[in-house]
Each structure stands twice: as C-alpha cells, then as structure tokens.
Amino acid sequence: MSDHSAVKAVLRTQHIETPSWAFGNSGTRFKVFAQEGIPRDAYEKIADAAVVHRYTGVAPSVAVHIPWDTVDDYADLAKHAENLGVKIGAVNPNVFQDDDYRLGSICNPDPAVRRKALEHLLDCVDIMDATGSRDLSIWLADGLNYPGQDSLADRQARLEEALAAVYERLGENQRMLLEYKFFEPAFYATDVPDWGTSYAHCVELGDKAQVLVDTGHHAPGTNIEFIVAFLLRKNRLGGFHFNSRFYADDDLMVGAADPYQLFRIMVEIVLGGGLDAASGVAFMLDQCHNIEPKIPALIRSVLNVQEATAKALLVDSEALRAAQRAGDVLGANGILVDAFSTDVRPLLAELREEMGLDPDPIAAYRRSGYAEQIVAERVGGTAAGWGA
Ligand code: LRH
Ligand code: MN
C-alpha cells in the first residue's frame, strides 16, 4: 500500500490491548525491584491503562489476570474502565501459583486438584460474563521436570477433558485462547509446549478455540511468522502476547530485541488479512518492566507495534507477488527490506495529530505530570505484583 491515507485509515483502527500485570511490580527469581506510584488494585491498574490509551489512541482495552485483579464487583470494574474510556479485555486465569499445582493443574495426576483448577477456569468465564469480555486466555504452567515423573499421554488426556468442559461453558460470543510455551517453569516437558499442540487441541475443541502466540515462548531460531501465516490460513490465530527477548521468556518491550522479526510478523498479518476486524486476531502485550518505569514502557511498546504495522502496510504487495511468482529472490526480499527501512515516524506523528493526539506520546505523558501524581497519591496499601 503506497497511499499513506489508506495506511493511516488502517492504523486508526488498530487495537493493542495492555496487560494489567505490567503496571505492577515484577522481576525475576533473583529480585523484584519495587517502584513508587505502583497501582494497589485492579482499579488503579485500569487507570494507568487508560493513560496509555489517552496518549496513543490505539490501546482501548486492558487484559486482567485472576486472582491478581480480583474485585468484589466485576461489573463495577467494567463500569470504572468505561468511565475512563477503556474496556476490560481478555480474562487470564491463574492455575500456576497455588501450592496444590506443584504437579500441575488440569493435567495433575490428582483428580481433586484437576477439579479445583477446572473450577477456577469456569469461574473466569463467569467473570467474562460480568465484564463483557470475549476471550478466556489460558496459559498452563503444567509440565514435568524429570523423565518418568508422569505419563505424557495421560496428561494430554486430562488436558483434553478439562478444555472440553471449559469449551462447553463458553457463551455465544466467547472464545478460549490456548497459549503455548516450550519451557519454564517446567524444565523437562510442558503439556502445551508448541503451536502444533495448541492447534491440535483447538481443532478438536471447535471454532471458539484459538491459538495464542506469545512471541517469547519459542525455542531460539523458531520462525514465528511462519506459525502466524499457517494459523491465519486456518482461521486459528486467536491473538498475540507481544513482547521481545534476547534469550528466553524475557518479557521485554515488544520490538526492543528484534524489530525486524516484529515487522516480519506484521507483514504476515497484513498479507493474511489479520488486521481486518473480522479476523478476530487479538493484539495484546504481555510484558514485565522490571527496571524501567511501567507506563512510558507500555506507551513505547504500543508505538513499536504501530511502527512495525505501518512499515508492513507500506509493503508493495502487488510488486511482491509479481517478484515471488517470477522467482526474483533478491527483488522480492528487497521489497520487504525497503518497507522495513522506511522511517514511518513522520506518518505516525501526522496520524496522531489527525486523531487529536500529541504527535509525541511519550513526551506528552512526561509533560502530563501523571508519573509524579501517582507517586504522591499512592502511599500506603500494598503495591500490586505477581506475588509469586
Ligand atoms: C507465561 C505468560 C502467560 C501469563 C504470564 C503473565 O509466561 O506469558 O501469558 O499468564 O506470562
Ligand atoms: Mn503470555
């Protein structure tokens, strides 16, 4: 697409969901560095998410994680979000932080533990009914640390049984997204380790089950855009957890470690119709800002996705197809590299002005004094965190 107004028209409709947990304190097993002004509850996390949307214009929803975002009245929480101009997005169950889940949750050899985990997944669908959320975003830490510890096959049977029960409970316009991860916290085998396992379970379950691609969950060297192209073709790409990494599941700002990979992923999204609302692809961030200030880091992350998307939209797809059909290897590759090498920041600044926003969201946020305001206001109480 070379027509900038057409590119801007698409970018205007972009929707990048922020994760509530990225506003809380986070870290590694070595240290969680507490920061000032950290939200103490889901209401304050949503207030911070609304600030990211206020300055970017394309982050109108925030995913919640249960029990990290447990409240008495989820309908009231949804109202609070609405009053701030955002909406509650995906609901993430947590079946990885309870002592009972030492040997797994829905794959656990103990039927009582499996029932407990299933109950929590079903409770999260009840929460979706209250918040009006479409997606139940399931990630399971379930796996093994040593060969022989449990039956790999039996665990898959338990997984199938529980996912089918959750699928049964989903409402008309609700979906379940099944996230995979090749290791951690399990260090020998993970029960949903890769896209193929997630895909196979989703196909077995039905149309409302889709694969969630977390960009930090692949073995080094994995061609993620291939997975994206494959799943899009099969209408099984439910969405992304965007972040970036140099080594493992580092959960760094998306695009920070490998902007060219993010661009290649967005090229497959654009060429495969993944930006069309009908595609139902959810673009979500899943990050931890262990040492940097959270809100500007999330604003920067949203801008990184916007920039990669703008460059992908600038790919001359007709010329690309012609070069591909002609077997013009360098020509075809060159078309992508040209788009990637394009400085799209002036186009995005223009778009923001047309959307009534400051062309430089991070500078505008810094000038707003919000960072100082929350440090002054949020005294006392317990700062949110993973509480692992
Ligand atoms: C697991 C994961 C999952 C979340 C958690 C916060 O690594 O990506 O999506 O539940 O991070
Ligand atoms: Mn994730």
Side-chain angles (χ1 to χ4, degrees):
M1 218 187 270
S2 49
D3 161 12
H4 283 196
S5 57
V7 168
K8 285 191 281 185
V10 174
L11 290 170
R12 207 181 263 273
T13 66
Q14 190 157 40
H15 182 162
I16 301 159
E17 183 159 302
T18 53
S20 67
W21 53 96
F23 296 102
N25 282 323
S26 59
T28 70
R29 59 184 166 175
F30 301 105
K31 175 66 178 165
V32 171
F33 295 100
Q35 296 184 19
E36 290 189 303
I38 293 297
R40 280 86 49 98
D41 61 27
Y43 286 82
E44 292 182 343
K45 292 177 198 174
I46 289 172
D48 292 356
V51 169
V52 174
H53 183 48
R54 187 182 311 153
Y55 291 102
T56 63
V58 291
S61 66
V62 50
V64 294
H65 217 296
I66 309 298
W68 298 339
D69 296 316
T70 294
V71 294
D72 301 336
D73 183 341
Y74 288 98
D76 180 65
L77 188 70
K79 195 93 204 82
H80 167 74
E82 206 181 313
N83 295 343
L84 292 170
V86 291
K87 156 175 194 316
I88 295 180
V91 174
N92 292 256
N94 180 330
V95 286
F96 53 86
Q97 279 191 319
D98 188 302
D99 289 340
D100 288 340
Y101 299 144
R102 179 172 60 86
L103 301 177
S105 66
I106 56 176
C107 303
N108 194 297
D110 179 342
V113 174
R114 297 203 295 273
R115 262 195 308 282
K116 173 179 176 172
L118 178 56
E119 275 318 308
H120 176 66
L121 298 178
L122 297 172
D123 292 346
C124 286
V125 183
D126 298 343
I127 292 171
M128 290 162 66
D129 293 342
T131 59
S133 299
R134 173 190 65 177
D135 294 337
L136 179 71
S137 189
I138 301 175
W139 171 69
L140 303 169
D142 291 42
L144 309 176
N145 274 3
Y146 297 98
Q149 175 189 330
D150 193 357
S151 156
L152 295 168
D154 292 358
R155 294 176 73 89
Q156 289 301 309
R158 298 164 196 156
L159 177 64
E160 243 170 51
E161 186 189 333
L163 292 178
V166 177
Y167 191 90
E168 202 49 45
R169 166 68 184 80
L170 292 176
E172 193 51 42
N173 305 314
Q174 296 176 333
R175 307 187 305 174
M176 58 194 286
L177 307 182
L178 185 56
E179 184 175 0
Y180 58 87
K181 182 176 182 179
F182 82 115
F183 90 104
E184 190 208 39
F187 294 109
Y188 161 60
T190 295
D191 295 302
V192 187
D194 53 30
W195 73 274
T197 307
S198 173
Y199 176 70
H201 281 289
C202 289
V203 168
E204 192 140 323
L205 288 159
D207 295 347
K208 289 192 271 187
Q210 305 267 326
V211 179
L212 176 64
V213 176
D214 184 312
T215 48
H217 287 188
H218 304 84
T222 301
N223 185 323
I224 300 176
E225 60 269 27
F226 168 85
I227 299 170
V228 170
F230 184 100
L231 293 172
L232 262 179
R233 257 189 85 246
K234 297 290 184 183
N235 296 317
R236 289 287 171 172
L237 179 63
F240 292 95
H241 272 182
F242 278 138
N243 49 63
S244 72
R245 54 88 175 269
F246 290 102
Y247 304 104
D249 189 19
D250 309 349
D251 282 338
L252 299 172
M253 290 188 293
V254 59
D258 188 346
Y260 188 43
Q261 180 191 57
L262 179 61
F263 163 76
R264 298 193 311 268
I265 289 171
M266 293 315 294
V267 167
E268 292 307 328
I269 287 288
V270 169
L271 296 179
L275 282 181
D276 311 346
S279 76
V281 177
F283 298 94
M284 304 176 279
L285 302 177
D286 176 7
Q287 301 175 171
C288 295
H289 304 296
N290 301 344
I291 59 172
E292 69 271 29
K294 323 272 178 185
I295 296 171
L298 283 155
I299 292 175
R300 178 69 263 169
S301 302
V302 170
L303 304 189
N304 287 355
V305 176
Q306 255 190 330
E307 285 176 23
T309 309
K311 292 179 181 208
L313 287 166
L314 289 174
V315 169
D316 181 341
S317 52
E318 261 151 58
L320 179 66
R321 291 227 182 289
Q324 290 170 340
R325 275 196 299 274
D328 177 2
V329 176
L330 293 178
N333 174 252
I335 289 165
L336 249 64
V337 173
D338 285 350
F340 179 66
S341 315
T342 307
D343 183 355
V344 293
R345 292 172 293 183
L347 178 146
L348 289 169
E350 217 174 82
L351 170 71
R352 293 184 191 114
E353 281 173 331
E354 290 164 7
M355 292 170 76
L357 302 169
D358 189 292
D360 183 343
I362 291 182
Y365 169 73
R366 290 223 161 91
R367 278 198 309 278
S368 74
Y370 186 78
E372 296 75 16
Q373 177 198 325
I374 53 179
V375 168
E377 281 169 7
R378 295 175 181 172
V379 178
T382 308
W386 282 37

